[in-house]
Amino acid sequence: MVLFTDDDRLADPRPMMPRLPRGASVILRSKQAIDDTTARAVLQTARTHHLKLLIAGDVKLAHRIGADGVHLPSAMLHALPKLRRLYPRLLFSAACHNDQALRLAAQGGADAAFLSPLFATRSHPDAPTLGVIQARRMLRDTSLAVYGLGGINTKTASCLRSLPLVGFGAIDGWLA
């Protein structure tokens, strides 16, 4: 299980983190640059609750503060092989919205991928959704550990049971 942050709905995940099960992850993401002080505070809370912390899109920040890893947007997947060599200690997850991104993530050595958006989501309201049928087709062709993301809540999560996902990421699903 993965908790994603969102500038509008959950900018600071710390109040939610005690509710997450041990071993879950938090992906700290923002449209603005995340400062070291904020990232370190979230990391301390993650350590207290035995959670993993990944920083979205900022490998240097993740390395500098000792985070567990980085969540790469699909536009950065071409750099994944080089980043793996430069930062071998970090976990790398990948945002994947299509077959090409899933292939790049697998070829680049991502530890996991987030297939999204599966359903309509407030984070990306104009993004076309993949749906269960297309997600199933895409998952057939990858050996990556894949999480579902996008519009996942108690109602839509039940639609995902037939998919070979290793888990899911959510914002609203945790806030409900």
Side-chain angles (χ1 to χ4, degrees):
M1 296 182 194
V2 182
L3 171 68
F4 275 75
T5 65
D6 176 276
D7 290 335
D8 298 324
R9 291 175 286 155
L10 188 65
D12 183 355
R14 289 174 291 173
M16 290 292 301
M17 292 167 75
R19 294 176 50 192
L20 299 176
R22 180 180 272 220
S25 299
V26 174
I27 295 185
L28 185 61
R29 65 180 180 169
S30 176
K31 292 176 184 159
Q32 287 77 41
I34 301 167
D35 63 87
D36 282 41
T37 302
T38 299
R40 287 181 199 282
V42 173
L43 178 62
Q44 179 58 46
T45 303
R47 295 292 183 256
T48 298
H49 296 286
H50 307 282
L51 306 171
K52 289 183 173 37
L53 176 66
L54 284 79
I55 305 293
D58 193 336
V59 181
K60 290 180 181 176
L61 174 62
H63 177 72
R64 189 167 58 246
I65 69 162
D68 298 291
V70 180
H71 177 67
L72 295 177
S74 56
M76 289 180 67
L77 293 180
H78 65 282
L80 182 54
K82 180 180 179 182
L83 294 171
R84 284 229 67 112
R85 286 190 305 278
L86 291 173
Y87 303 97
R89 179 192 66 75
L90 294 176
L91 296 171
F92 285 91
S93 69
C96 296
H97 311 293
N98 54 45
D99 290 309
Q100 180 184 7
L102 268 177
R103 278 192 301 277
L104 280 173
Q107 291 167 356
D111 295 293
F114 285 86
L115 189 59
S116 73
L118 293 179
F119 306 105
T121 175
R122 291 193 296 158
S123 295
H124 299 84
D126 299 325
T129 61
L130 297 170
V132 174
I133 293 170
Q134 185 167 343
R136 181 176 290 113
R137 182 194 56 75
M138 293 171 73
L139 291 166
R140 229 185 8 238
D141 298 329
T142 187
S143 60
L144 268 175
V146 179
Y147 292 80
L149 178 65
I152 297 177
N153 54 42
T154 53
K155 181 181 175 184
T156 58
S158 64
C159 300
L160 303 177
R161 292 178 211 249
S162 67
L163 296 178
L165 297 168
V166 297
F168 65 89
I171 300 168
D172 285 340
W174 290 108
L175 298 176

